[in-house]
Amino acid sequence: MVVVEGFEPAVDAAGPRPAVTVTLCESHRGAADGWLDGFRPVVRPDAGTGQRCGWVHDFRAPEVVLRAHVDSWLGRLSGLDLADDGDWAAYLSAAHERLCRLHGLEPGHIEGNCAVTWIGLAASERDGGGLGAALAFLADAEMLAAAGRVSDGPDCCC
């Protein structure tokens, strides 16, 4: 496993740290190189992370993280902008439905381990855990999209 640290530094009581930490296996590190270039990562080998491939920890404010998802990948993938919808849940629902149509999936598709499924789960958090919970699902969706698994893929990557 490698840990990719990037973005602007975040500071809290523990001191400065990367704003985002992503853990990837070696095979997905190579597959995600182009995607990671936009994030100016610093890679450090760390076999002791104890995290699975695709684990993301984002320390930024939820609204900042959502805007970053939209600007860096979800807007391009779906063709939608957050400003076009009333709130985060409406935007995620619209993005999910559009991606279902674009990939020939049934409306409301939430099945398998692919980005479309995780975006659908994020949209469903309107009545559940809210934006914070939705962002956890979007982190998984982002990693799957970066690995080319937008609409299908094996249940477990590594």
Side-chain angles (χ1 to χ4, degrees), residues 32-45:
D33 274 346
W35 168 75
L36 292 169
D37 285 345
F39 297 110
R40 297 180 312 277
V42 176
V43 178
R44 65 176 168 84

Side-chain angles (χ1 to χ4, degrees), residues 1-2 6 18 59 61 91-92 94 97 104 106 115-116 119 127 129 137 144 147 154:
M1 294 286 183
V2 293
F59 300 97
Y91 171 77
L92 293 176
E97 292 307 315
E106 292 294 319
V116 172
I119 294 165
D127 300 319
F137 289 127
L144 289 164

Side-chain angles (χ1 to χ4, degrees), residues 17 27 35 49 52 56-57 64 84 93-94 97 99 107 117 133 139-140 150:
R17 65 169 183 267
S27 64
W35 168 75
T49 63
R52 65 175 172 77
V56 178
H57 194 158
V64 171
D84 297 335
S93 292
E97 292 307 315
L99 289 168
T117 293
D140 282 334
V150 175

Side-chain angles (χ1 to χ4, degrees), residues 84-104:
D84 297 335
D85 290 286
D87 63 12
W88 65 268
Y91 171 77
L92 293 176
S93 292
H96 181 245
E97 292 307 315
R98 172 159 301 169
L99 289 168
C100 285
R101 282 192 310 276
L102 288 172
H103 292 278

Side-chain angles (χ1 to χ4, degrees), residues 43-69:
V43 178
R44 65 176 168 84
D46 189 349
T49 63
Q51 303 297 333
R52 65 175 172 77
C53 177
W55 178 84
V56 178
H57 194 158
D58 200 321
F59 300 97
R60 299 171 295 170
E63 295 76 17
V64 171
V65 176
L66 178 60
R67 185 79 247 176
H69 279 293

